[in-house]
Structures are given as structure tokens and as C-alpha cells.
Amino acid sequence: DKPTVCITGASSGLGLNAAKSLASSGNWHVVMACRDFAKAEREARKIGIPKGSYTVMHLDLAALDSVRIFADMYKASGQRLDCLVCNAAVYLPTAKEPVYTADGFELSMGTNHLGHFLLVNLLLDKLKEAPNKDPRCIIVGSITGNTNTLAGNVPPKANLGDLSGLENMQPMADGGEFDGPKAYKDAKVCNMLTMCQLHKRLHESTGITFASLYPGCIASSGLFRNHVPLFRYLFPRFQKNITKGYVSEEEAGRRLMQVVASPDLKKSGVYWSFSNTSGSFENQLSEEASDDAKGSRLWDVSMKLVGLA
Ligand code: NDP
């Protein structure tokens, strides 16, 4: 049987396109871990993922029970796990009020960070036993959570503060007023901090490669589905013509596939980025996203919130 990659949120955008690239290569079986399995199956057929090269499984990251059930089901299924990709995300740019997960966390932080944090921890043992002897765990990051970049400096900027808001289950990690775009960016910083902590704590003892990536600006993906129509019309055009940061969903999928499968991208603890002309390169994380003390505190707080400590 083939090496198996499990991709969360594989029913749309980056995850769907990476699933297609990996499955079509003939070298990978893909588990599409999705909250809407009817949609996942429909999209897999529509985009032409070869039958038999994928399995759809139910996972709703906005409910920790669903994450626990998923991890149990995965293990019980006897399927192998060679790579886990934490890709799913929600972005609520126009929300005026916070929305919450089943466990009472603000939805972007709960889904994008805490759901994945629990998932990774529950599947670590399985991943350690990867039959291909090249286990990888990839957490999709973003430039928007990186305040050392131009895009990361568009207000509101990510800032986790002292994490007391997260610890006390307030809508914002820093304890401030709810702000949808900031909540997304904060969660992305948590994704990158988590990758760094996983690398530091577990890479040597487990042999797992932990990495993050910025796939480019996939301005046409479903991520912006909750934005106002004018934004959805202008944003791809702006990214294509002005910033030149635009990347198609297909190309972004191929980039993620490289981080999953390429022998050249096996290094752990790296935040990969891509140049349109020269391909992948190791990028710098922002000060906050590479702050070890903050990462350590985030680890402890997250362990408590997901019930592992
Ligand atoms: P999409 O909105 O197209 O895809 C997001 C996926 O996440 C969908 O499959 C969605 O499911 C799934 N999802 C949302 N909530 C849950 C949940 N509770 N449980 C399980 N799955 C869920 O966005 P993208 O493909 O653009 O984003 C993918 C990743 O790329 C994200 O991590 C994002 O932060 C990152 N990224 C995106 C950029 C961009 O420009 N678009 C730039 C940089 C990073 P459903 O299909 O059911 O809605």
C-alpha cells in the first residue's frame, strides 16, 4: 500500500488541489479529512481525483469531540499515516460578533489552531510509525500572521499579547475587543509557533519533520467566501496586477505537495515560502512567530484548553 497523507480541509482550495496533485502522482493515497463529506466527495470527483486514490473521512475541527473521534477512527481503520497536513481554516473578515466552537472557543482560533493542536498530538504516535520512514507534519501558515512582511503589517496586526485572553477563553488571545481579521491572523501565528515548538520538543526523539509554509496569495480560494462581494472581485485582480503575489489554486496545491513529498524539503523546523521564479526557499518567521517563550506558553495553554494537561 502507498504512503498516505491526511489533509484537513481537503474539500476546497489549497487542500483540494494538493490532494489532487498528490493522488494523481500515483505515489500517494490521500485521506480527505473534511467537515462536509458530501462536499468533499463531490469536489474530489469534480476536480478529477482518481477513484481509489482517496478516502473521505469526517472531521470537524470546531468540535474537540469530533477531533478525538476522528483520531480514534483513523487508528482503528488500520490505515497508514506518513504525512499529516493541517490545512483547514476559517476566516471571518466581516463578523461583528464572535462565533464559537462547540467547546466555546472563538471560531477562528478554535478551528485553525486548537482543533489542529489536538489532532497533531493525538496522531503523533501513529505518525512516528510511518512506514515510509519519512514522517512529516505540516501546518499551513500565512504571511498575514507575519509582521515582518508588508502584508503582515496591514492592520489589524497579529498580536497574541500575554495569551491571557486565550487562556481564559475570551474571544481574542490578547484579551482585547473581538476583531475577525485579527483573530485569523492570531490563529496563524499560533500555527507557526506550534510548528516551532513541535520541532523543538519532538523532532529529534520522533524523527518527524515538522514544517510550515506560506503557499502564496490564493486570492480566488474559498477562504474569502465570507468577504463582501466587491472585495472578492477586486482582491484577485489586485494581487495579480499590483502585488504580483497571486498564485492559482493549482500552483498552491503543487507547492504544498512539494512540502509533503519532495526529498529536498525534508528539513524540520522550516517555514517554506516560494518565489515565482526560483521555487522554494527557507523563509524567516516574524519576531512573534519565532518567540520561544511565547511558543512555550502557547503550548502549555493549548494543552490545558484541549484537555491534554
Ligand atoms: P478554503 O476556504 O478554500 O479552504 C478551507 C478548508 O477548510 C475548506 O475545506 C473548509 O471546509 C475547511 N474547514 C473550515 N472549517 C472547518 C472545520 N471546522 N473542520 C474541518 N474543516 C474545516 O481556503 P484556502 O484553501 O485558501 O486555505 C487553506 C489554508 O491556506 C488555510 O490554512 C489558510 O490559512 C492558508 N492560506 C491561504 C491563503 C490564501 O490566500 N487563500 C494565503 C495563505 C495561507 P468546507 O469546504 O466545508 O468549507
Side-chain angles (χ1 to χ4, degrees):
D1 60 337
K2 289 180 191 166
T4 298
V5 53
C6 171
I7 308 177
T8 68
S11 51
S12 172
L14 178 60
L16 177 65
N17 282 273
K20 163 140 197 220
S21 290
L22 285 155
S24 306
S25 74
N27 299 323
W28 288 84
H29 185 81
V30 181
V31 173
M32 301 171 69
C34 298
R35 61 175 166 180
D36 180 343
F37 46 81
K39 177 180 176 186
E41 180 62 33
R42 189 174 70 237
E43 293 300 321
R45 286 172 189 230
K46 202 157 85 187
I47 201 173
I49 305 183
K51 221 175 159 28
S53 66
Y54 68 94
T55 310
V56 174
M57 284 182 72
H58 183 249
L59 167 67
D60 191 336
L61 290 154
L64 296 182
D65 268 345
S66 172
V67 177
R68 292 186 194 102
I69 291 167
F70 175 83
D72 287 346
M73 296 278 283
Y74 197 102
K75 290 178 197 161
S77 73
Q79 291 178 101
R80 55 190 279 179
L81 181 64
D82 300 278
C83 181
L84 173 63
V85 181
C86 300
N87 159 77
V90 282
Y91 175 49
L92 307 167
T94 58
K96 296 275 175 282
E97 298 288 330
V99 184
Y100 297 96
T101 69
D103 308 274
F105 307 125
E106 185 282 320
L107 192 68
S108 345
M109 184 59 87
T111 307
N112 308 0
H113 167 57
L114 291 168
H116 281 132
F117 183 86
L118 177 61
L119 181 69
V120 170
N121 276 287
L122 294 179
L123 289 177
L124 273 177
D125 282 343
K126 180 87 190 157
L127 205 50
K128 263 196 297 201
E129 297 158 7
N132 76 344
K133 305 271 186 267
D134 180 9
R136 298 189 191 187
C137 172
I138 296 147
I139 305 180
V140 178
S142 178
I143 202 169
T144 50
N146 251 13
T147 47
N148 62 344
T149 61
L150 193 62
N153 275 301
V154 175
K157 287 197 236 177
N159 179 5
L160 300 173
D162 63 1
L163 287 162
S164 59
L166 181 65
E167 189 169 33
N168 297 310
M169 295 182 65
Q170 289 167 9
M172 299 301 288
D174 63 2
E177 285 280 296
F178 175 72
D179 181 313
K182 181 172 182 300
Y184 169 82
K185 294 178 190 183
D186 286 351
K188 284 281 129 189
V189 172
C190 291
N191 284 151
M192 294 182 274
L193 283 170
T194 300
M195 183 279 286
C196 293
Q197 289 296 311
L198 285 162
H199 168 69
K200 193 183 98 176
R201 291 162 189 253
L202 296 161
H203 170 63
E204 257 186 47
S205 60
T206 62
I208 300 171
T209 295
F210 297 99
S212 186
L213 76 152
Y214 172 61
C217 184
I218 323 162
S220 51
S221 90
L223 195 68
F224 306 102
R225 75 194 79 184
N226 296 313
H227 223 303
V228 294
L230 183 64
F231 178 89
R232 281 187 274 130
Y233 174 78
L234 290 175
F235 190 53
R237 287 160 179 80
F238 173 73
Q239 292 293 350
K240 264 182 203 156
N241 303 316
I242 313 287
T243 70
K244 315 275 188 210
Y246 176 85
V247 63
S248 69
E249 294 180 58
E250 293 83 355
E251 174 57 20
R254 285 191 290 271
R255 290 177 174 180
L256 177 50
M257 169 167 154
Q258 285 179 52
V259 185
V260 169
S262 167
D264 297 338
L265 279 70
K266 188 177 156 57
K267 190 168 163 192
S268 185
V270 175
Y271 169 54
W272 295 104
S273 291
F274 296 81
S275 138
N276 289 340
T277 47
S278 53
S280 60
F281 65 96
E282 289 183 33
N283 205 344
Q284 287 295 311
L285 287 165
S286 72
E287 208 175 302
E288 183 171 43
S290 52
D291 180 334
D292 188 50
K294 197 165 271 196
S296 214
R297 174 154 158 74
L298 176 69
W299 182 274
D300 294 342
V301 169
S302 304
M303 279 301 227
K304 263 193 229 141
L305 292 174
V306 302
L308 291 176

